[in-house]
Amino acid sequence: MSGKRDYYEVLVVAKGATQDEVAKAYRKLALKYHPDSNQGNEDAIHKFKEAAEAYEVLSDEQKRARYDQYGHAGVDQASGGFRDVGDIFEAFGDVFGGTIFEDFFGGGGGRGRNRVRKGADLRCDVVLELEEAAKGVTKTVSLTRHVACETCTGSGAAPGSQPETCRKCQGRGQVVQATGILRVQTTCPICRGSGKTISQPCKTCDGQGLKPTEVKLEVKIPAGVDDGMRVRLPGEGQPSPDGGPRGDAYCFIHLKQHSIFHRDEHNLIFQLPISYSQAALGTTVQVPTLDGKRSLDIQAGTKSGTVYRIRGLGMPDPHSGARGDLLVETIIEVPKKLSKRQQELLRELAELEEKEITPERKGFMDRIMDYFGATESAKAK
């Protein structure tokens, strides 16, 4: 029976972990137990080798399948193990160069040196009315990005001269410092990663090869966007510093506060003021929507705060297109000023209410009287 620990336990990942999760777990352990950081610690070296062996199996789909089915017996012959840490660097040279350790270790495969970088992303902002967000709109936005200098055509060198290969990194753009088995790869401080140096810089762009330019872009904003959402404009960002793809631009959405509608995700809320008589007797009113006016029946006996739902008249979902609802909340208005006739009618109504008390109101009044009666009795004692 094998005395080895379970590989999933070694890397501290679940059996259903993705390859990315396996790689991240290995990177964390390898950095923690790296021999150069734990000199003289045999336990750390053992765990470093153990993590590498687990990664060797779990990062390979075929080996992982055999391991899941047969355990260590299914992979012991296929996996030769590692005699020392040098074997690990030899086996995972390309991994250490960029995939797992990125710039922490210099890779044997050289991926880190030849990796092409994407240009930086840019941001722009656009302000929308609620109606624009509901239907979708095309907006023109402006942003500042770098373009190739016309004088030097982007080389950074003055006309008649050419960039030269950097003597420090020999054109690789990276320099490697080795300490024992640990190799640290960093950007060349002379050419700043470009692999080239310029002895006669272009006067127009000061040797940068690029100059800032304001550009205008048309942005198609889908229906249903909400405040804080962003629209991605692929390839509209800054150019790559080494010939790679451009970055992206992100247009951030800001919604103006609407005068009558309040947004709650995909629903719209509208507060409808009605009079006491409308609430008591019921009525039909015209309510505003984003698609025009709509009739709404107010039922007799409606209380303040009652919500009527009109389906499909809210905001659309920007992904599915399905629309939310319009929620009409009734607010009973109490007039501050009354005409003489209104006062007479309300006083007459008040008298009727006192003479003909409904069972519900009678019960309420009885509870009040019982409360005061119990209070007076307690004081008497």
Side-chain angles (χ1 to χ4, degrees), residues 130-131 134 255-264 267-272 287-294 310 313-315 323 325-329:
L130 182 65
E131 290 80 1
L255 288 188
K256 288 184 179 179
Q257 185 175 356
H258 200 270
S259 58
I260 60 174
F261 293 119
H262 171 71
R263 181 171 182 172
D264 181 16
N267 294 329
L268 292 177
I269 299 174
F270 169 64
Q271 291 186 324
L272 174 67
V287 296
T289 75
L290 293 177
D291 300 323
K293 294 182 179 179
R294 177 65 64 92
I310 306 179
L313 290 183
M315 297 291 290
R323 292 187 65 172
D325 302 328
L326 174 63
L327 307 179
V328 181
E329 181 184 6

Side-chain angles (χ1 to χ4, degrees), residues 7-8 10-11 22 49-59:
Y7 287 149
Y8 292 102
V10 171
L11 295 184
V22 169
K49 294 178 181 179
E50 186 181 44
E53 183 177 323
Y55 175 72
E56 180 192 21
V57 172
L58 299 185
S59 63

Side-chain angles (χ1 to χ4, degrees), residues 317-358:
D317 185 308
H319 303 291
S320 67
R323 292 187 65 172
D325 302 328
L326 174 63
L327 307 179
V328 181
E329 181 184 6
T330 57
I331 305 295
I332 298 178
E333 286 189 323
V334 178
K336 294 182 178 180
K337 293 183 180 181
L338 297 173
S339 66
K340 186 176 181 180
R341 178 56 178 160
Q342 287 175 323
Q343 292 182 25
E344 292 174 352
L345 291 174
L346 287 176
R347 292 183 187 280
E348 183 178 348
L349 176 62
E351 292 174 0
L352 291 173
E353 288 178 339
E354 290 295 327
K355 291 177 181 179
E356 299 180 10
I357 300 176
T358 63

Side-chain angles (χ1 to χ4, degrees), residues 92-106:
F92 301 136
D94 59 339
V95 174
F96 283 13
T99 306
I100 296 295
F101 290 104
E102 296 178 351
D103 290 334
F104 283 100
F105 300 100

Side-chain angles (χ1 to χ4, degrees), residues 155-167:
S155 69
S161 66
Q162 294 292 332
E164 302 171 354
T165 300
C166 177
R167 296 180 180 179

